[in-house]
């Protein structure tokens, strides 16, 4: 029975170590999510008609916060034992998804294109590939992008309210392109799939805005720009 | 219907088909002669079946067509599409791997359960070697056909990413292996030795050929072979050095998975204790009881435990109490009841709620 006692003692040590590590991770993730919220508050201002023109300065403000994000991620990365990313990844999944969305939103507002996985990883201060260390999980990146589409479909409507009639067209085309991209993926019946199922409503919302504008002759570009 | 039948000289089946066509709003104006003529022509040429379904198809086909078109018309030059092509490959390969691992895990579960059943037949036998030997052979086969491929799948991956896929099989295997080792040396196998079983040299086919016959043979010669190492599949696997590690692939066992397996193993102990009574082996239950008490108190002492383990702790306490009851009954009534009747006492005790155990909780032990 000596050996049994040792087995259980070892296991208790393992449990304690696991618990302590998770506590540490939690505290870092809390800070990370706090920073994400701060960035989000800044970027929410883009929906206000008065801010429609100075989106760039809002982006710059938000970008400044990402240095803090990179710090948090690097301290997180030091805590994770090699090859055990997925043992703890549930802790930071949501934070990462939100930050992917925010950084992709900034890229879109500035350059009207999709932020690649590589540059998103760079903005967040993490790697792209699992082999290289602390990375963005592909699922999290895609979830972030899907969150971006809802935000953009909302922006399309608010842009109209603010009197900007060209933005909805661009957004609609962009979301249409993302939609055909996501259609290429063979998704399992998981959370990503569920979120993807919601993408069609974003597409629809944008198309409706474009339709409303077109039918009233508020658009002066050629009609085939209608995205889908 | 009959009137129509006479009038149009159509068969009942044909008429039914026409009705269906009308229901599907294929024919306007209900059953009139013009429609009947049209439909009967269709029915006779064998198209009606298809037409009956056609309205449904009409709803589907534009969507489907659009989707197909979309897939084909995807602008491959666009950066977004190119990126998603890469994601597609990555997701597919990950999902495929996950699927393969789930399959292996399921096979491991099934085979482990069989091994456990084999081992249960040990109860009350004087000579356990035949049974143990049979179990060992099953283990060998399991390593060769399931665990080694699983180790290869996990090689170079983050095992925690796929843990959910292979954890059921792994737990069942740990249960079987701890049971096997308990029967061998009446002790709990530690995690290092479980690990050593699941560490394989990278070039496996070669060593499998060599290893298998010698081990089985040595187990056949009595007594001296009760040495532990002979039962472990790969003797050198337990002390891995870093240089050696690269030439090995392994199925990793997180300690929590091992412990969950051990928790399940106590259920087997309980069953064995009860069975032993039936086989007139009155010593084993009290031996089993000792180990179960050690495990139980250890489990109750654990702090910071995951939820899964907490549930198993409850089940374990119940199993323990059941064996304790059995030992009590054995002591009190053992002298008055013949042993072959004693087992009936325990089995019926299990099915009745006389010992204040809700019935469904018993089922957990036995599934």
């Amino acid at each position: 029975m000596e050996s049994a006692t040792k087995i259980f003692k070892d296991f208790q040590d393992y449990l304690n170590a696991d618990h302590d590590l998770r506590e540490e991770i939690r505290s870092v993730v809390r800070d990370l999510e706090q920073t994400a919220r701060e960035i989000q508050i800044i970027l929410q201002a883009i929906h206000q008609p008065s801010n429609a023109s100075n989106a760039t300065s809002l982006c710059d403000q938000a970008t400044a916060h990402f240095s803090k994000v990179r710090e948090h991620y690097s301290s997180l990365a030091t805590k994770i034992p090699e090859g055990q990313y997925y043992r703890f990844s549930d802790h930071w999944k949501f934070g990462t998804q939100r930050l992917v969305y925010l950084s992709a939103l900034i890229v879109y507002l500035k350059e009207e294109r999709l932020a690649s996985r590589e540059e998103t990883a760079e903005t967040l201060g993490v790697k792209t590939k699992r082999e290289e260390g602390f990375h963005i999980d592909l699922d999290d990146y895609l979830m972030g992008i899907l969150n971006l589409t809802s935000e953009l479909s909302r922006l399309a409507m608010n842009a109209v309210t603010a009197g900007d009639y060209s933005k909805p067209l661009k957004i609609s085309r962009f979301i249409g392109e993302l939609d055909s991209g996501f259609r290429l993926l063979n998704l399992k019946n998981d959370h990503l799939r569920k979120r993807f199922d919601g993408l069609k409503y974003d597409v629809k919302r944008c198309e409706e805005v474009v339709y409303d504008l077109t039918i009233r002759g508020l658009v002066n570009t050629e009609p085939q720009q209608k995205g889908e | 219907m009959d009137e129509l039948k006479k009038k149009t000289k159509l068969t009942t089946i044909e008429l039914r088909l026409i009705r269906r066509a009308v229901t599907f709003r294929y024919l306007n104006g209900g059953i009139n002669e013009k429609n009947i003529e049209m439909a009967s022509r269709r029915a006779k040429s064998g198209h009606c079946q298809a037409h009956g379904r056609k309205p449904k198809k009409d709803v589907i086909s534009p969507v489907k067509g659009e989707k197909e078109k979309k897939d084909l018309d995807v602008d491959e030059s666009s950066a977004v599409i190119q990126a998603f092509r890469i994601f597609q490959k990555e997701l597919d390969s990950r999902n495929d791997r996950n699927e393969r691992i789930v399959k292996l895990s399921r096979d491991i579960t099934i085979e482990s359960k069989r091994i456990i059943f084999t081992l249960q037949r040990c109860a009350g036998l004087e000579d356990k070697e035949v049974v143990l030997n049979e179990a060992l052979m099953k283990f060998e086969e399991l390593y060769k056909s399931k665990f080694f491929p699983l180790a290869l799948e996990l090689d170079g991956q983050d095992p925690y990413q796929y843990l959910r896929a292979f954890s059921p099989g792994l737990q069942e295997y740990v249960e079987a292996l701890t049971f096997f080792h308990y029967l061998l040396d009446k002790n709990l196998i530690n995690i290092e030795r479980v690990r050593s079983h699941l560490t394989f040299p990278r070039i496996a086919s070669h060593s499998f050929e060599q290893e298998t016959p010698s081990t089985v043979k040595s187990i056949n010669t009595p007594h001296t072979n009760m040495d532990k190492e002979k039962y472990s599949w790969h003797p050198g696997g337990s002390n891995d050095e870093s240089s050696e590690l690269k030439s090995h692939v392994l199925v990793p066992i997180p300690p929590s998975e091992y412990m969950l397996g051990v928790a399940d193993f106590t259920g087997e102990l309980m069953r064995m204790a009860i069975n032993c009574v039936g086989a007139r082996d009155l010593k084993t239950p009290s031996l089993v009881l000792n180990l179960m008490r050690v495990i139980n108190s250890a489990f109750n002492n654990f702090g910071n435990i995951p939820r899964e383990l907490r549930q198993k702790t409850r089940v374990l306490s119940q199993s323990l109490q059941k064996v304790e009851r059995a030992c009590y009954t054995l002591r009190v009534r053992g002298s008055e009841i013949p042993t072959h009747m004693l087992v009936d006492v325990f089995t019926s005790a299990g099915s009745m709620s006389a010992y204040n155990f809700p019935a469904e909780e018993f089922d957990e032990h036995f599934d």
Side-chain angles (χ1 to χ4, degrees):
Chain A
M1 289 306 143
E2 279 304 302
S3 63
T5 321
K6 187 178 177 304
I7 289 170
F8 293 120
K9 199 193 155 294
D10 287 352
F11 184 64
Q12 183 61 61
D13 293 344
Y14 163 81
L15 282 180
N16 291 342
D18 183 78
H19 184 259
D20 292 347
L21 184 53
R22 279 179 196 274
E23 279 300 309
E24 284 180 41
I25 291 171
R26 260 184 221 118
S27 90
V28 180
V29 169
R30 211 175 297 133
D31 295 343
L32 190 71
E33 284 177 347
Q34 178 57 36
T35 315
R37 273 194 294 276
E38 284 163 18
I39 298 171
Q40 179 149 32
I41 288 168
I42 297 170
L43 287 175
Q44 280 303 300
I46 55 169
H47 294 289
Q48 304 237 330
S50 56
N51 282 324
S53 51
N54 65 351
T56 331
S57 77
L58 287 174
C59 288
D60 291 341
Q61 270 183 57
T63 313
H65 277 74
F66 271 94
S67 63
K68 258 195 272 175
V69 170
R70 284 190 285 274
E71 274 171 38
H72 293 320
Y73 270 117
S74 69
S75 91
L76 198 54
T78 55
K79 296 191 190 311
I80 311 303
E82 205 188 320
Q84 300 195 1
Y85 177 91
Y86 287 99
R87 180 171 161 200
F88 304 103
S89 63
D90 283 346
H91 290 289
W92 57 78
K93 230 174 170 42
F94 287 103
T96 305
Q97 285 168 13
R98 182 177 264 196
L99 284 162
V100 168
Y101 141 64
L102 291 169
S103 71
L105 181 60
I106 293 174
V107 171
Y108 181 79
L109 289 174
K110 278 178 163 169
E111 303 173 37
E112 295 181 340
R113 61 178 180 84
L114 175 66
S116 72
R117 183 160 50 144
E118 288 73 20
E119 65 185 315
T120 310
E122 210 183 311
T123 317
L124 266 56
V126 297
K127 306 280 192 290
T128 324
K129 296 238 177 320
R130 185 182 59 79
E131 294 80 17
E132 292 164 359
F134 198 96
H135 64 289
I136 308 189
D137 185 50
L138 180 58
D139 279 17
D140 293 342
Y141 170 74
L142 292 174
M143 280 296 256
I145 298 302
L146 285 170
N147 290 337
L148 172 72
T149 61
S150 334
E151 187 68 10
L152 286 180
S153 74
R154 189 182 150 210
L155 183 62
M157 278 172 68
N158 292 330
V160 175
T161 319
D164 183 348
Y165 297 153
S166 63
K167 196 176 265 170
L169 290 167
K170 289 176 195 155
I171 290 177
S172 175
R173 206 168 37 189
F174 179 67
I175 293 186
E177 201 176 4
L178 281 181
D179 184 51
S180 43
F182 272 103
R183 272 166 195 277
L184 289 178
L185 306 179
N186 305 312
L187 297 174
K188 277 198 314 180
N189 205 5
D190 57 2
H191 55 284
L192 193 60
R193 161 74 189 279
K194 279 192 197 104
R195 186 66 191 74
F196 163 69
D197 287 343
L199 176 60
K200 57 177 178 283
Y201 300 110
D202 297 335
V203 175
K204 186 165 165 265
R205 192 135 62 123
C206 286
E207 281 174 357
E208 274 167 6
V209 172
V210 173
Y211 170 76
D212 283 343
L213 292 178
T214 317
I215 203 166
R216 288 171 180 78
L218 297 169
V219 184
N220 40 18
T221 40
E222 57 269 45
Q224 64 260 35
Q225 278 220 337
K226 251 174 68 176
E228 284 291 283
Chain B
M1 193 95 176
D2 284 338
E3 200 190 315
L4 265 171
K5 205 170 157 184
K6 257 184 254 162
K7 218 162 105 188
T8 57
K9 291 176 195 158
L10 290 173
T11 63
T12 319
I13 293 170
E14 278 164 353
L15 267 177
R16 206 180 295 151
L17 285 170
I18 293 164
R19 279 212 167 163
R20 216 171 116 202
V22 174
T23 337
F24 276 115
R25 297 207 198 119
Y26 221 76
L27 305 170
N28 292 321
I31 305 187
N32 59 39
E33 286 191 17
K34 191 182 147 216
N35 276 346
I36 289 167
E37 198 192 307
M38 238 165 71
S40 69
R41 226 182 298 136
R42 282 200 187 116
K44 276 171 183 160
S45 59
H47 283 294
C48 201
Q49 194 70 22
H51 280 299
R53 278 183 193 154
K54 204 178 173 190
K56 236 180 170 179
K57 244 186 183 170
D58 276 345
V59 179
I60 296 165
S61 58
V63 180
K64 208 180 160 193
E66 198 190 353
K67 204 183 167 189
E68 274 165 11
K69 210 175 111 197
K70 229 178 229 163
D71 278 355
L72 294 173
D73 283 1
V74 165
D75 179 11
E76 293 293 342
S77 61
S78 124
V80 173
I81 299 301
Q82 281 172 358
F84 275 86
R85 285 274 178 217
I86 298 170
F87 301 155
Q88 180 190 39
K89 269 191 210 120
E90 232 179 287
L91 279 178
D92 283 353
S93 86
R94 195 190 65 194
N95 290 344
D96 289 351
R97 187 186 300 275
N98 199 65
E99 212 51 47
R100 289 195 299 269
I101 291 174
V102 168
K103 253 185 217 155
L104 284 171
S105 163
R106 204 174 317 140
D107 291 347
I108 290 171
T109 309
I110 294 167
E111 199 48 44
S112 299
K113 277 192 201 295
R114 284 193 187 135
I115 293 175
I116 291 168
F117 273 107
T118 310
L119 291 172
Q120 283 290 2
R121 283 195 269 118
C122 264
L125 289 182
E126 275 304 310
D127 185 21
K128 291 183 175 131
E129 279 193 28
V130 185
V131 175
L132 288 181
N133 199 22
E134 192 187 331
L136 186 74
M137 261 158 40
K138 285 186 176 168
F139 271 123
E140 298 282 351
E141 182 55 33
L142 188 58
Y143 294 133
K144 195 156 98 184
S145 63
K146 304 294 170 216
F147 273 109
F148 182 61
L150 180 58
L152 288 180
E153 288 290 353
L154 293 172
D155 186 35
Q157 303 291 323
D158 180 345
Y160 286 96
Q161 190 173 9
Y162 301 100
L163 184 61
R164 236 167 280 161
F166 70 89
S167 113
L170 192 60
Q171 282 178 32
E172 204 68 35
Y173 161 76
V174 171
E175 180 181 345
L177 190 73
T178 40
F179 194 27
F180 177 75
H181 275 266
Y182 176 76
L183 292 173
L184 210 61
D185 56 14
K186 300 277 170 279
N187 228 328
L188 201 57
I189 184 173
N190 61 28
I191 190 165
E192 285 77 20
R193 278 184 58 202
V194 182
R195 282 203 175 117
S196 78
H197 283 287
L198 296 186
T199 308
F200 307 98
R202 205 172 273 277
I203 317 129
S205 53
H206 176 66
S207 79
F208 274 120
E209 303 297 332
Q210 289 190 332
E211 212 70 44
T212 316
S214 68
T215 324
V216 175
K217 210 171 158 191
S218 67
I219 211 168
N220 277 335
T221 57
H223 293 300
T224 47
N225 55 51
M226 283 303 178
D227 169 27
K228 295 173 195 169
E229 279 312 308
K230 295 236 166 89
Y231 279 89
S232 68
W233 173 74
H234 186 261
S238 55
N239 35 5
D240 267 332
E241 282 145 35
S242 56
S243 61
E244 213 180 338
L245 257 175
K246 280 182 191 124
S247 60
H248 285 70
V249 288
L250 56 98
V251 178
I253 310 166
S256 49
E257 297 297 312
Y258 160 77
M259 221 24 109
L260 289 168
V262 171
D264 290 336
F265 153 68
T266 57
E268 295 308 321
L269 278 182
M270 184 264 295
R271 267 169 68 180
M272 189 180 77
I274 305 294
N275 286 340
C276 280
V277 178
R280 301 175 183 230
D281 175 1
L282 305 181
K283 235 171 33 198
T284 316
S286 55
L287 265 173
V288 166
L289 202 54
N290 280 341
L291 181 63
M292 281 182 77
R293 283 205 182 112
V294 172
I295 298 177
N296 185 54
S297 68
F299 269 59
N300 283 318
N301 275 331
F302 286 148
N304 307 328
I305 56 172
R307 194 174 47 87
E308 243 183 325
L309 200 56
R310 206 170 305 141
Q311 285 169 351
K312 297 213 168 167
T313 308
R314 263 203 304 280
V315 177
L316 165 59
S317 304
Q318 284 160 5
S319 310
L320 175 67
Q321 283 181 42
K322 196 180 172 193
V323 180
E324 279 175 346
R325 284 276 175 187
C327 287
Y328 164 81
T329 316
L330 199 63
R331 171 57 61 127
V332 174
R333 301 175 64 185
S335 50
E336 56 195 60
I337 305 180
T339 42
H340 69 273
M341 282 174 71
L342 263 177
V343 74
D344 291 337
V345 174
F346 298 128
T347 6
S348 61
S351 57
M352 292 189 314
S353 52
Y355 295 141
N356 299 328
F357 299 138
E360 70 269 22
E361 271 164 359
F362 269 103
D363 293 341
E364 283 180 32
H365 300 303
F366 292 109
D367 57 31

